[in-house]
Amino acid sequence: MSNSMEPTFDNRLITVRLRLSDMTTFPSNIACSWLRGVSGYLMRTKPEDSLRERLSQAKTYAEWEMIAADLDIILGNDVWKADATSNIYDYKLIQFRLEHLAEVRDSGDVAELIYLLRSGLLRNLGGIGDPRLFSRSYLGTKSLIEDYLNQVVTQLQYIQRNDFEVLSPQQKVEFFHDTRQSFGNTALLLEGGATFGLFHLGVVKALSEHHLLPRIISGSSVGALIAALVCVHTEQDLPCIFQPGGINLKAFAKKGIKGNITRKITRLLKYGYLMDVKVLEDCVRSNVGDLTFEEAYARSKRVLNITVASTRKYEVPRLLNYLTAPNVLIWSAACASAAVMGLYESVDLLAKDNYGNIVHWSPSAISWSDSSCESDSPEIRLAEQFNVNHFILSQANPYIAPFLSKCPQGQGDSLSDKLFIFLSSEIRHRLHQLAQIGLMPRTLQTLFEQRAQGHITIAPPLSSMDFYQLFSNPTYASLNYWILKGEQSTWPFLSFIRSRTKIELALDKGNQ
């Protein structure tokens, strides 16, 4: 008698059929599972990707800094910062000088300390200012470099705040003066065109809030308008211009929005320029007043420089400041700098005479011309007149900014970003070659030629909608938009700027 638990013939047949069915569906099940797994892996968002997205949308520096700190931890950048070794800079030299400074200070030998500081205060000692050292971490750089800079500042403060028998007050003054002269100055260059120039306001705001705004500021084109606005305000009054209504835009509001494009096209066809320079003059004058370069320097102690071009062929642009043009009205110089071909008509420079009357400045034929295409950038004159050897460039020209890296010399740049920068450089090079053999007008070629150069260059990320608004009149909404964009573009550079100016700022305090 068969066991009731054993399968019958019919049951066995059903079992075999089921197993054959499983075998036929097995490969397809595996394939589907594999595809689902690969798809899930590819679509999965890494924590750092999510943080980078949040970082780009941060509205305040405190928010940006918190996200950047989390990113540094996730990416292991904190470990990289703690490791002093690197082939980018001479870490052994920096380590030695750090230890030597501490030893000399502990010994109480002030004369030796002063000798040590005077012989080694360089902005890029041992390569510590190399941009690659600031392209890895979002916040800061190698801890050894930060420790060294802090040690130097500590020793400078020690000398400044104390009296020593071996160091007379006059010798202390000479030490800080000579060391400051040797170290050099930092200047902020504002280069921009049309509406994009409002971006500079955000750059200035970010630098000012972190006490990194240079005393020497130079502007050209629309950058000259922003430089003028900044340099007529004292340190205490400067934050007011970033507040709602802090800049007077009534001159543009009078024109209204209706018929805006039609007016510009008609003006271009009839007169050869898009914008009404009288409106620009009213706006700048209402915000700057009738201050001269000399009067503005006396008020704010900021060194304003404005670049203008002469209609005289082959004559280099003039760098106007309180030394070269003390009596020139700032608003007229700013408007003359902005009066570029096709945008605004030419503007005469005005000045105050000995009795305070407003008159034409002696070389009054200052306006845009093709000779400006042959001009040099302002760095040479700034170096000659104000001992500037370090430049922070805020670049908002619509034909240059899109081709620049938007973070500290490659911080977080992807392969596609680097490829884009390479291709854009190649395009500019080919355009230059066409100009050299006479196949391209020099005027057009200079639109893609970046004359001003910066040790640190800040540029805005631009969208297609930004270009759509390129020649629009400024509004309070657009001001807020560009100020935030300028701040967001500056935050990634703050560690780099702070490192390169830390000693300079300490020497400034010692000179006071």
Side-chain angles (χ1 to χ4, degrees):
M1 186 173 180
S2 63
N3 191 339
S4 61
M5 297 298 293
E6 292 181 359
T8 63
F9 177 79
D10 292 339
N11 289 336
R12 291 192 188 116
L13 183 59
I14 293 172
T15 302
V16 170
R17 285 176 178 172
L18 288 172
R19 288 175 178 171
L20 287 173
S21 176
D22 290 341
M23 291 179 66
T24 58
T25 59
F26 178 75
S28 62
N29 289 338
I30 292 295
C32 290
S33 298
W34 183 81
L35 287 174
R36 282 196 298 269
V38 171
S39 176
Y41 177 79
L42 294 176
M43 297 297 293
R44 183 176 59 188
T45 302
K46 297 180 181 179
E48 56 266 33
D49 294 334
S50 177
L51 285 173
R52 287 193 182 101
E53 180 66 21
R54 289 173 53 199
L55 195 71
S56 66
Q57 298 175 359
K59 296 296 188 293
T60 65
Y61 179 74
E63 179 186 357
W64 187 93
E65 185 180 33
M66 181 177 63
I67 300 171
D70 291 340
L71 264 171
D72 279 340
I73 294 173
I74 291 176
L75 297 174
N77 293 337
D78 285 356
V79 177
W80 175 83
K81 288 193 289 186
D83 181 10
T85 62
S86 173
N87 58 2
I88 299 177
Y89 76 113
D90 192 344
Y91 63 91
K92 293 182 179 178
L93 171 64
I94 302 304
Q95 183 67 54
F96 171 76
R97 288 192 62 86
L98 174 62
E99 296 173 353
H100 195 22
L101 278 170
E103 291 173 359
V104 172
R105 162 70 186 278
D106 292 341
S107 69
D109 191 341
V110 177
E112 178 65 17
L113 180 60
I114 288 179
Y115 173 82
L116 187 60
L117 290 171
R118 280 291 287 123
S119 62
L121 281 194
L122 301 173
R123 206 182 295 270
N124 193 32
L125 178 68
I128 61 175
D130 194 304
R132 291 174 294 175
L133 291 168
F134 298 85
S135 65
R136 175 69 179 268
S137 175
Y138 287 88
L139 295 172
T141 183
K142 294 286 189 181
S143 297
L144 175 60
I145 296 176
E146 295 177 347
D147 292 343
Y148 168 72
L149 293 174
N150 290 333
Q151 182 69 237
V152 171
V153 171
T154 298
Q155 307 309 348
L156 290 173
Q157 292 173 344
Y158 170 69
I159 295 174
Q160 176 198 0
R161 296 170 181 173
N162 295 280
D163 297 325
F164 308 96
E165 292 183 1
V166 297
L167 187 67
S168 68
Q170 180 60 33
Q171 289 175 321
K172 184 187 293 189
V173 170
E174 291 175 355
F175 162 72
F176 277 102
H177 176 271
D178 294 346
T179 307
R180 184 70 184 82
Q181 182 70 16
S182 174
F183 197 82
N185 291 310
T186 296
L188 175 63
L189 307 179
L190 305 181
E191 297 268 328
T195 303
F196 292 178
L198 299 177
F199 166 82
H200 301 313
L201 285 169
V203 175
V204 170
K205 181 182 178 185
L207 294 177
S208 176
E209 288 179 347
H210 290 83
H211 308 289
L212 295 173
L213 183 63
R215 222 170 35 87
I216 303 170
I217 300 177
S218 177
S220 63
S221 187
V222 177
L225 308 178
I226 307 302
L229 179 65
V230 171
C231 290
V232 299
H233 287 86
T234 64
E235 197 72 33
Q236 294 75 25
D237 296 336
L238 186 60
C240 297
I241 69 174
F242 307 114
Q243 302 300 320
I247 299 177
N248 188 344
L249 297 179
K250 290 182 179 179
F252 291 102
K254 293 177 184 178
K255 287 290 183 179
I257 300 176
K258 186 177 180 180
N260 188 27
I261 297 178
T262 304
R263 286 198 306 269
K264 287 181 172 59
I265 294 176
T266 302
R267 193 181 295 120
L268 178 63
L269 295 176
K270 189 174 182 179
Y271 301 106
Y273 51 87
L274 278 173
M275 316 288 279
D276 186 356
V277 76
K278 298 301 180 185
V279 177
L280 179 67
E281 290 176 344
D282 289 344
C283 180
V284 179
R285 194 171 188 179
S286 65
N287 286 282
V288 174
D290 287 332
L291 289 176
T292 65
F293 282 92
E294 189 173 48
E295 290 169 344
Y297 176 71
R299 171 189 287 188
S300 68
K301 299 305 177 185
R302 299 191 190 280
V303 182
L304 170 63
N305 299 268
I306 293 179
T307 304
V308 294
S310 171
T311 52
R312 300 179 184 90
K313 195 172 179 62
Y314 303 123
E315 189 172 358
V316 299
R318 288 177 169 78
L319 188 69
L320 306 180
N321 51 52
Y322 79 95
L323 294 178
T324 61
N327 299 318
V328 169
L329 296 181
I330 291 173
W331 69 262
S332 72
C335 291
S337 183
V340 298
M341 180 180 58
L343 187 59
Y344 289 105
E345 63 178 317
S346 61
V347 176
D348 288 341
L349 293 179
L350 303 177
K352 287 183 180 179
D353 62 16
N354 292 332
Y355 305 100
N357 301 314
I358 297 178
V359 297
H360 282 281
W361 195 45
S362 179
S364 60
I366 304 295
S367 62
W368 174 272
S369 73
D370 287 341
S371 65
S372 62
C373 298
E374 306 293 335
S375 66
D376 295 325
S377 58
E379 291 101 315
I380 296 176
R381 297 302 303 274
L382 287 171
E384 292 173 348
Q385 296 176 12
F386 302 108
N387 191 35
V388 176
N389 61 3
H390 183 236
F391 297 92
I392 301 172
L393 172 62
S394 177
Q395 180 58 270
N397 273 321
Y399 41 82
I400 294 177
F403 304 113
L404 300 176
S405 175
K406 306 305 182 296
C407 43
Q409 305 296 331
Q411 181 192 77
D413 276 0
S414 64
L415 179 61
S416 60
D417 293 331
K418 295 177 180 178
L419 180 61
F420 175 77
I421 294 172
F422 169 76
L423 291 176
S424 63
S425 299
E426 183 67 17
I427 291 172
R428 291 201 304 271
H429 173 64
R430 296 306 176 190
L431 290 174
H432 178 72
Q433 287 182 322
L434 289 175
Q436 291 296 314
I437 60 178
L439 296 181
M440 183 178 180
R442 174 65 180 170
T443 303
L444 293 178
Q445 191 263 336
T446 53
L447 293 180
F448 300 92
E449 185 179 72
Q450 184 181 357
R451 290 187 294 274
Q453 301 292 327
H455 296 91
I456 300 172
T457 300
I458 306 172
L462 298 173
S463 65
S464 57
M465 289 303 297
D466 292 331
F467 283 92
Y468 179 75
Q469 302 291 332
L470 179 58
F471 297 110
S472 299
N473 288 334
T475 63
Y476 290 114
S478 64
L479 270 179
N480 294 334
Y481 171 80
W482 284 104
I483 287 175
L484 178 59
K485 190 181 281 281
E487 289 182 277
Q488 292 171 332
S489 300
T490 307
W491 292 335
F493 290 88
L494 289 179
S495 295
F496 194 12
I497 296 171
R498 187 176 291 110
S499 177
R500 292 187 66 99
T501 59
K502 198 178 190 73
I503 295 175
E504 178 182 345
L505 295 174
L507 288 170
D508 279 341
K509 292 181 180 178
N511 265 328
Q512 292 176 355

